[in-house]
Amino acid sequence: MKLAPSRRLAGISVISALALTLAACGGGDGDDTSTDGDTGGDNGGGATSDLSGSIAGSGASSQENAVGGWIAGFTEANPGVTVSYDPTGSGTGREQFLNGTVLFAGSDAAMSEEELASGVDRCYGGEVIELPLYVSPIAVIYNLPSVEAENINMDPATIAGVFAGEITNWNDPAIADANPDVELPDLPIVPVNRSDESGTTENFTEYLTATAADVWTHGPVETWPISGTQSGAQTSGMIDTVSGAEGTIGYADASRAGDLGTVAVGVGEEYVPFSPEAAAQILDVSPAAADATDLRLTIDLARDTTEAGTYPIVLVSYSIACSVYETEEDAANVAAYLTYVASPEGQDRAAQPDVAGSAPISDDLRERVTAALDQITVAG
């Protein structure tokens, strides 16, 4: 079926803007950054696109540092576009996307069937696009200044027992036996959880459910199921709460761990500390979700893997958009921004330790992301 003229024009605008964006980011380091047409011969780093307008997003606070880097890189090449992102948390981000408050969202959890159904109206009869563009380990963080070990080892049942409130002291045998060379304090454990509806919480409790369901009996949840606990809102609140008191333990996007201690997680016969490389390995052993499509590239993470060197507490955070937008400007700007995010330049920028330290997506996944973004059109 042929697209309406406005749809075709939007597609042409996106392609042109993307070529200029990548040329500007590539900065004339080689012939592969050159483009044909009006931009030919201007690949010295100063090329900019003719996109204009503004796009707003909200959602996962885990993505905040990466999004800051992505916005900086994208707007360097597209100074006519203003991009904003409010790290409200995954649940609020999806809600604001569906009610039309924002044009794109970030979420540490895929949309539910009910949300996807609501997305048809929000997307002007189109579909929701879900793209796994931010891959990062979730660190189990703790505040024990007296412990000099680089990491404390914990197997899945121990982690589950701590957050279920069954293991209550740092020198409990379940912890001590896994750390024979570490002098653990006789100190109460203070578990800290997110107080808001959180995709990070859902990812973390999915891991607990997959690896220690007999200990963690609450299942995977976005809202913490145990009352009377210490908590913090968004990633920043979690970090502040754990940092504020000795003996605390929590969970957060690893890029925000800072000087806090982190747990090396039991996987098979070894204990694996977090790293972008170890986190990326889980994608190699994880299948697509049962309801994944060419627009929704959702993943069923193999959190119970025993593959050596794999860090299984991983956050795969999705960028959410529409396949159909109301205006050509919105369609072009969202598609161009997310294409930059998925590009090698965008992924490498987020992977920098002083940005987010995330794991870049593979070339194969990038091809599928690009194919999905190529389907963004305009209502009419």
Side-chain angles (χ1 to χ4, degrees):
M1 180 179 69
K2 291 185 178 180
L3 296 176
S6 60
R7 294 184 176 183
R8 293 180 59 82
L9 182 57
I12 293 169
S13 298
V14 171
I15 293 169
S16 300
L18 173 60
L20 284 164
T21 296
L22 297 182
C25 294
D29 290 333
D31 293 338
D32 58 346
T33 60
S34 64
T35 56
D36 296 328
D38 294 340
T39 62
D42 186 10
N43 61 348
T48 58
S49 79
D50 58 358
L51 288 175
S52 63
S54 63
I55 56 173
S58 71
S61 58
S62 59
Q63 291 191 29
E64 182 177 6
N65 288 355
V67 171
W70 290 330
I71 290 175
F74 177 74
T75 54
E76 284 171 7
N78 301 277
V81 183
T82 300
V83 184
S84 63
Y85 184 80
D86 188 1
T88 56
S90 297
T92 300
R94 296 196 305 274
E95 179 182 348
Q96 290 185 342
F97 171 77
L98 290 172
N99 66 28
T101 301
V102 296
L103 292 174
F104 69 95
S107 177
D108 298 341
M111 281 193 162
S112 67
E113 289 185 11
E114 182 179 355
E115 288 172 325
L116 291 172
S118 298
V120 175
D121 288 337
R122 189 269 175 267
C123 293
Y124 303 94
E127 299 179 51
V128 171
I129 296 175
E130 295 179 285
L131 307 172
L133 297 181
Y134 181 72
V135 181
S136 180
I138 297 173
V140 180
I141 53 177
Y142 58 83
N143 186 351
L144 291 176
S146 64
V147 174
E148 298 181 355
E150 186 173 356
N151 305 102
I152 289 178
N153 298 330
M154 290 190 188
D155 60 36
T158 300
I159 298 172
V162 166
F163 283 93
E166 297 180 6
I167 298 174
T168 59
N169 197 290
W170 280 103
N171 65 2
D172 186 284
I175 303 175
D177 290 350
N179 297 274
D181 299 324
V182 178
E183 186 174 347
L184 295 164
D186 182 6
L187 184 70
I189 296 174
V190 182
V192 179
N193 56 267
R194 288 276 291 268
S195 60
D196 55 320
E197 186 179 12
S198 163
T200 306
T201 295
E202 182 171 1
N203 277 269
F204 181 60
T205 55
E206 280 181 1
Y207 164 77
L208 298 180
T209 301
T211 58
D214 56 334
V215 181
W216 179 261
T217 59
H218 305 282
V221 293
E222 280 193 295
T223 302
W224 196 254
I226 303 172
S227 60
T229 58
Q230 295 293 312
S231 62
Q234 286 89 48
T235 304
S236 57
M238 167 66 76
I239 297 296
D240 289 346
T241 304
V242 174
S243 299
E246 186 175 358
T248 49
I249 186 170
Y251 54 93
D253 185 88
S255 69
R256 308 287 291 278
D259 294 330
L260 292 167
T262 58
V263 169
V265 176
V267 179
E269 300 299 319
E270 63 179 346
Y271 291 95
V272 181
F274 81 81
S275 71
E277 296 76 18
Q281 287 190 40
I282 197 170
L283 297 183
D284 295 334
V285 297
S286 299
D291 61 348
T293 68
D294 60 343
L295 293 180
R296 293 188 288 107
L297 307 184
T298 49
I299 299 168
D300 186 7
L301 290 171
R303 300 189 184 277
D304 58 351
T305 182
T306 57
E307 189 75 21
T310 301
Y311 187 85
I313 314 180
V314 170
L315 177 150
V316 175
S317 197
Y318 295 91
S319 293
I320 297 174
C322 280
S323 66
V324 179
Y325 282 95
E326 183 178 17
T327 70
E328 177 188 336
E329 180 179 282
D330 289 345
N333 288 340
V334 171
Y337 169 68
L338 292 180
T339 303
Y340 170 76
V341 169
S343 71
E345 292 84 358
Q347 289 291 300
D348 288 346
R349 190 164 193 142
Q352 295 174 16
D354 60 344
V355 179
S358 57
I361 64 173
S362 67
D363 290 339
D364 175 70
L365 178 55
R366 181 178 298 107
E367 288 181 7
R368 290 184 284 136
V369 167
T370 301
L373 293 173
D374 284 346
Q375 297 186 53
I376 292 179
T377 59
V378 181

